[in-house]
Amino acid sequence: MRKWQGAVLSIGMAFTLAACSTGGGGSSSPAAPGDNPEEEVQLTAENLQPEEGATLVIWEDKNQSSFIEQRVKKFEEKYGVTVKMEELPPTDQVTKLTTDGPAGLAADVVVFPHDKIGSASEAGLILPNDIFEAETAANTSENALKAVTFKDILYGYPYSVETYALFYNKALVPEAPKDFNEIIDFAKTFNNTKSNQYALMWELQQFYYNYAFLASQGGYIFGDNGMDSGDLGLNNEGAQKGGEFLQRLKAEVLPLKMGDVNYDIKKGLFSSGKLAMDINGPWTIADYRTAGIDFGVAPLPAIDGKPMTSFSGVKAYYVNAFTQYPNASKLLAAFLSNEEAQMENFDMNGTLPANKNVAADAKVQEDPINKAFLEQFNNSTPMPSLPAMDSVWGPITSAITDIWDSGKDVKASLDNAVKQIKESLATVQ
């Protein structure tokens, strides 16, 4: 068993009611039956009950409001706890929790992308997922579980996953390419720079996408599954091969400057039939369906026979460490993210599930688009959640720009990026 999984499964065994009754960890309980009045009752997923008089607030995104409303009704009927939802984009929640949490003004249950978990944990803003950790570990896909675990402690109650994959126009590319050599060959006959017609695009300025080219050849950001900021792999041999491959794609597939490609440009070209393939995420499905394009989605093509490892993200619920009602909050977070809830969320919103059973359900798998994204997610790398990641984006984006736009030496460019990252980390650690 991996180290982090062992920790996740063992932490909850040490949590008793007494440990949860102080600070923000839980509520007290009467002594268990028996001769010893000081005997303690261990809190479990089966016997956890909300605090008397508990009322809760949850922060969620607007597009989840219908699901929350439907699910909360069931929660209120089961536990007698009133829940109010306040709309707040997940990307803004850690920042707001930093100020509103200690002031007692924040929601009891919050949701944010997993890469913010490091800063939230180190600031003491969220409670571990202790009571429901065994259940969460058993039912959640491996990559999603990794994403919501920080320094061997499970914090999140994951409910959705996302990554990017290959969109292809079936009228231009009847079958998705399995290898990038097929794309390179296709570009030779399809590309027409004068007509702004290209075989493949992705958001060149975003390292979120460029990471896949470095990682597929053996590059990485931080060692120890993204948790060791002292081990940088952005200039190793694999990363250099990935950078060299990017230069080949610039010459043979996409001879444009990085600033010439963005989301809107790609969307316009794909929708008009001038772009055959687009590396993008599930957030663009609605746009392409609205455009009336007969498209498919497939896992990213291999590079030199090696699968392409994309960046991925996981959304999860977290319990505010300053909540007055930690038991009720944990019950709500679990109730909104359990198997039944994730199936409901998929039915209502098409939300790709983190739960293994829901992901394997015929209803989910019968859609080839869902299947492709979930397959790619299983071959993805969750974005590192270490706060040290803040020191990475700028230098590595500049290096990729030098490699792509100016054709500069790959090794020298990546070496310089790593040097800058190390210098930045030295000032903040």
Side-chain angles (χ1 to χ4, degrees):
M1 181 177 288
R2 290 174 173 81
K3 177 182 177 183
W4 65 269
Q5 285 180 313
V8 165
L9 292 172
S10 64
I11 293 169
M13 300 305 294
F15 275 81
T16 62
L17 185 55
C20 293
S21 64
T22 59
S27 63
S28 60
S29 171
D35 295 334
N36 183 1
E38 295 183 358
E39 185 178 349
E40 296 170 343
V41 177
Q42 180 179 343
L43 287 178
T44 67
E46 289 72 29
N47 67 21
L48 185 66
Q49 293 296 316
E51 297 85 352
E52 185 176 352
T55 60
L56 301 175
V57 174
I58 179 173
W59 285 340
E60 244 294 13
D61 206 359
K62 182 178 181 179
N63 61 18
Q64 284 285 292
S65 58
S66 296
F67 163 74
I68 293 295
E69 180 181 358
Q70 173 178 294
R71 193 67 183 159
V72 158
K73 285 181 180 178
K74 297 180 180 180
F75 180 81
E76 292 176 340
E77 291 172 0
K78 181 173 183 178
Y79 293 105
V81 175
T82 301
V83 181
K84 176 186 176 182
M85 175 185 157
E86 295 179 354
E87 290 181 9
L88 186 67
T91 50
D92 297 341
Q93 293 196 21
V94 171
T95 299
K96 191 169 178 61
L97 186 61
T98 302
T99 56
D100 289 10
L105 302 174
D108 303 277
V109 176
V110 300
V111 56
F112 50 80
H114 81 269
D115 59 318
K116 301 296 184 182
I117 190 176
S119 56
S121 169
E122 293 189 347
L125 301 178
I126 51 178
L127 295 178
N129 177 355
D130 49 12
I131 305 301
F132 295 93
E133 62 181 339
E135 178 181 315
T136 302
N139 297 325
T140 303
S141 65
E142 182 177 358
N143 275 347
L145 196 61
K146 286 180 182 178
V148 297
T149 301
F150 184 72
K151 294 185 177 179
D152 293 331
I153 298 176
L154 176 66
Y155 286 97
Y157 302 73
Y159 73 89
S160 75
V161 302
E162 66 181 25
T163 189
Y164 43 91
L166 184 74
F167 286 73
Y168 61 99
N169 185 328
K170 292 182 178 180
L172 303 174
V173 186
E175 294 186 8
K178 302 292 186 182
D179 190 278
F180 256 91
N181 287 330
E182 297 176 50
I183 295 178
I184 292 172
D185 289 340
F186 174 76
K188 293 175 182 177
T189 59
F190 183 80
N191 276 14
N192 186 330
T193 56
K194 292 182 179 179
S195 299
N196 213 20
Q197 179 173 296
Y198 298 96
L200 173 70
M201 283 185 173
W202 65 96
E203 290 187 67
L204 295 175
Q205 302 174 69
Q206 302 295 330
F207 182 64
Y208 176 71
Y209 297 96
N210 291 323
Y211 165 83
F213 294 96
L214 307 189
S216 66
Q217 304 301 296
Y220 58 89
I221 298 178
F222 301 133
D224 189 21
N225 290 315
M227 296 307 297
D228 183 2
S229 61
D231 177 9
L232 290 166
L234 288 172
N235 62 338
N236 66 11
E237 183 178 351
Q240 292 172 36
K241 288 182 179 178
E244 291 165 359
F245 187 71
L246 281 172
Q247 289 184 329
R248 183 185 178 191
L249 293 181
K250 165 73 180 295
E252 301 183 41
V253 175
L254 191 54
L256 296 174
K257 294 286 188 180
M258 292 184 73
D260 293 336
V261 180
N262 60 30
Y263 179 86
D264 289 334
I265 289 172
K266 289 191 302 97
K267 183 175 72 172
L269 292 175
F270 192 86
S271 299
S272 63
K274 289 192 172 185
L275 175 63
M277 290 168 278
D278 176 25
I279 295 177
N280 221 321
W283 46 83
T284 201
I285 292 174
D287 285 340
Y288 288 160
R289 282 177 173 163
T290 299
I293 300 296
D294 181 17
F295 67 89
V297 178
L300 296 174
I303 300 177
D304 293 333
K306 298 178 181 178
M308 235 179 142
T309 304
S310 56
F311 255 157
S312 60
V314 176
K315 285 183 181 177
Y317 296 106
Y318 300 88
V319 174
N320 173 8
F322 302 93
T323 177
Q324 293 182 337
Y325 308 111
N327 290 356
S329 298
K330 292 174 184 179
L331 286 167
L332 178 60
F335 194 80
L336 294 174
S337 59
N338 64 20
E339 184 173 329
E340 179 184 76
Q342 291 192 43
M343 181 57 76
E344 288 180 7
N345 210 340
F346 172 78
D347 288 338
M348 294 183 70
N349 301 309
T351 304
L352 293 179
N355 181 282
K356 291 185 292 188
N357 292 334
V358 180
D361 190 277
K363 188 186 298 185
V364 178
Q365 289 291 318
E366 68 185 7
D367 185 333
I369 292 178
N370 296 330
K371 186 176 181 180
F373 275 116
L374 289 170
E375 183 178 341
Q376 183 61 50
F377 177 79
N378 289 333
N379 191 43
S380 69
T381 300
M383 285 190 293
S385 56
L386 283 178
M389 191 64 191
D390 291 342
S391 296
V392 173
W393 296 107
I396 192 61
T397 299
S398 295
I400 298 297
T401 301
D402 287 342
I403 290 169
W404 184 276
D405 279 355
S406 304
K408 291 187 177 180
D409 182 78
V410 172
K411 184 179 186 305
S413 298
L414 294 178
D415 283 347
N416 185 52
V418 168
K419 177 176 178 290
Q420 291 179 45
I421 294 168
K422 288 181 176 179
E423 290 173 348
S424 175
L425 289 177
T427 66
V428 297
Q429 293 180 340

